[in-house]
């Protein structure tokens, strides 16, 4: 498959990152797997390959005869749960996620259909405003509620647990393992620890159960194939945690586009599917504020899920430290 076509490789901001793609035997095995999985469906793939290499994934766009492209994704060992999780989500919440064409859980490989236009690309055409973000947040929150009964199953698939009451211990571990923080920041974070424990206890006491948190739901991580429709994908940063931790990333992206005045609208749109729980709006808003701040821990943890061979040149440690320091800042909502 490799020798029959041209291959365009995009390394983005990480030209020195080492991924399995650099190994010829690995490339041959991966592309052979794609060819065989397509052949089993009666499909051929004669076109050129577009490869995107990052420290946390190998992504290959494969043109297919007579239809749109498919996408091969290889996740690092620490993120190998992504394929099985995507397959499980397709069963539990069909219509909200991609349904994999093929999976190899042992090798962390997935073959996925094309999901249509990225939300980011639709936004670039200037046709959408804040109401589109509000609707995607309602749909995403409704999906999270539907997944509450599956939280233990999600963990058994290998998705890391960052449960609300366990976040203080996660904080302790991240702080102890960090090698990038300066003495001043480390001291301020140590001083924050008692308050962090109080925040977690208060958030858990609201009674909203932990569930799947995408943890990086920006405008490039969902498709917008038709008006009112959204498809969520790229679960490599996912955790099982407080659902409200998911609000931060999309809200920040929308704030960057429209200004800070959009934040209350987005917060309330996200909380709307939770309003029938009997909790007053003021309590839900307070919980969203707490979860916004605590979401930094999940983001810090996710940066450890890189290809092991990329560790020497990866941004993982620096980015994890960034998110730990972010705990010191008050949320904007």
């Amino acid at each position: 498959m490799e020798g029959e076509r041209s291959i365009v490789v995009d390394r983005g901001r990480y030209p020195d990152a080492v991924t399995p793609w650099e190994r010829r035997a690995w490339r041959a095995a991966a592309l052979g797997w794609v060819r065989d999985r397509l052949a089993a469906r009666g499909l051929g793939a004669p076109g050129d390959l577009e490869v995107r290499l990052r420290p946390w994934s190998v992504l290959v766009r494969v043109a297919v005869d007579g239809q749109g492209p498919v996408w091969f994704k290889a996740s690092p060992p620490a993120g190998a749960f992504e394929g099985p999780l995507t397959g499980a989500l397709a069963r539990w919440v069909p219509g909200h996620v991609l349904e994999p064409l093929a999976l190899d859980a042992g090798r962390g490989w997935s073959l996925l259909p094309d999901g249509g236009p990225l939300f980011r690309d639709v936004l670039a055409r200037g046709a959408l405003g804040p109401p589109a973000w509000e609707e995607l947040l309602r749909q995403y929150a409704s999906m999270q509620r539907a997944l509450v009964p599956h939280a233990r199953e999600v963990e058994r698939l290998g998705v890391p647990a960052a449960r609300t009451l366990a976040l203080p211990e996660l904080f302790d571990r991240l702080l102890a393992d960090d090698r990038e923080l300066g003495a001043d920041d480390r001291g301020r974070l140590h001083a924050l620890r008692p308050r962090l424990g109080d925040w977690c206890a208060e958030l858990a006491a609201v009674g909203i159960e932990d569930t799947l948190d995408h943890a990086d739901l920006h405008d490039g991580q969902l498709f917008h194939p038709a008006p009112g429709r959204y498809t969520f994908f790229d679960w490599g940063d996912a955790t099982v945690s407080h659902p409200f931790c998911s609000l931060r990333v999309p809200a920040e992206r929308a704030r960057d586009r429209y200004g800070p005045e959009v934040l209350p609208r987005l917060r309330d749109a996200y909380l709307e599917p939770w309003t029938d729980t009997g909790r007053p709006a003021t309590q839900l808003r307070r919980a969203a504020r707490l979860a916004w701040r605590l979401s930094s821990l999940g983001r810090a943890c996710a940066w450890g899920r890189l290809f092991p061979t990329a560790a020497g040149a990866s941004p993982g440690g620096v980015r994890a430290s960034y998110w730990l320091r972010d705990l010191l800042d008050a949320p904007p909502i």
Side-chain angles (χ1 to χ4, degrees):
M1 189 177 189
E2 180 179 1
E4 300 168 358
R5 63 195 68 213
S6 67
I7 300 176
V8 177
V9 177
D10 165 24
R11 294 182 177 272
R13 294 178 294 148
Y14 307 98
D16 299 323
V18 179
T19 72
W21 183 261
E22 280 71 44
R23 304 199 302 268
R24 184 178 182 87
W26 187 94
R27 289 200 309 272
L31 296 178
W33 181 80
V34 171
R35 180 193 60 230
D36 293 345
R37 299 290 80 74
L38 290 174
R41 292 173 171 266
L43 300 172
D48 296 338
L49 301 177
E50 298 176 17
V51 182
R52 195 189 77 160
L53 302 181
R54 302 292 186 267
W56 53 86
S57 70
V58 174
L59 188 67
V60 183
R61 183 186 186 276
V62 183
V64 175
D65 280 332
Q67 66 174 59
V70 298
W71 300 82
F72 165 79
K73 184 172 185 178
S75 300
F81 61 80
E82 184 177 0
L85 174 62
T86 303
L89 293 177
R91 299 191 301 272
W92 296 332
V93 285
H96 290 288
V97 299
L98 295 175
E99 181 177 355
L101 302 172
L103 297 172
D104 187 325
R107 293 188 283 191
W109 294 353
S110 305
L111 188 63
L112 300 164
D114 188 71
L118 283 174
F119 185 52
R120 173 180 294 167
D121 295 337
V122 179
L123 288 171
R125 296 200 288 268
L128 300 176
W133 295 77
E134 295 171 33
E135 180 56 26
L136 79 86
L137 286 169
R138 290 188 194 97
Q139 291 188 24
Y140 174 74
S142 296
M143 181 181 69
Q144 284 185 295
R145 285 201 68 182
L147 291 170
V148 166
H150 299 287
R152 293 295 180 191
E153 295 170 88
V154 170
E155 287 183 84
R156 285 195 289 270
L157 291 172
V159 177
R163 289 186 173 268
T164 305
L165 287 175
L167 288 176
E169 287 72 26
L170 176 60
F171 170 82
D172 292 341
R173 187 170 71 248
L174 288 167
L175 191 57
D177 292 344
D178 190 276
R179 298 293 179 267
E180 301 289 339
L181 286 168
D184 181 61
D185 286 333
R186 188 176 295 277
R188 294 171 67 202
L189 286 166
H190 274 298
L192 187 70
R193 174 60 164 81
R195 293 177 62 199
L196 187 142
D198 292 341
W199 295 334
C200 293
E202 181 184 352
L203 183 57
V206 175
I208 301 293
E209 295 182 72
D210 292 338
T211 185
L212 184 65
D213 169 19
H214 184 288
D216 194 26
L217 188 62
H218 58 70
D219 50 354
Q221 307 278 47
L222 65 149
F223 299 109
H224 189 41
R229 286 187 55 203
Y230 300 91
T231 306
F232 306 100
F233 74 100
D234 202 339
W235 299 92
D237 289 341
T239 63
V240 174
S241 193
H242 197 282
F244 294 3
C245 290
S246 289
L247 171 62
R248 178 176 183 168
V249 171
E252 286 184 328
R253 293 300 178 96
R255 178 193 61 188
D256 293 344
R257 182 176 289 269
Y258 306 110
E261 61 274 9
V262 78
L263 291 178
R265 294 175 54 181
L266 297 182
R267 176 201 59 201
D268 290 348
Y270 174 79
L271 293 175
E272 187 176 312
W274 308 92
T275 55
D276 66 354
T277 61
R279 291 151 182 93
T282 53
Q283 188 181 41
L284 291 175
R285 288 170 178 169
R286 169 64 177 169
R289 179 177 172 83
L290 291 168
W292 181 294
R293 194 165 200 163
L294 293 168
S295 68
S296 297
L297 292 170
R299 300 298 300 127
C301 193
W303 278 97
R305 297 177 216 164
L306 306 175
F307 288 116
T309 52
S314 83
V318 173
R319 295 301 296 175
S321 296
Y322 168 87
W323 284 106
L324 282 174
R325 285 193 300 270
D326 187 78
L327 282 163
L328 299 165
D329 297 331
I333 59 171

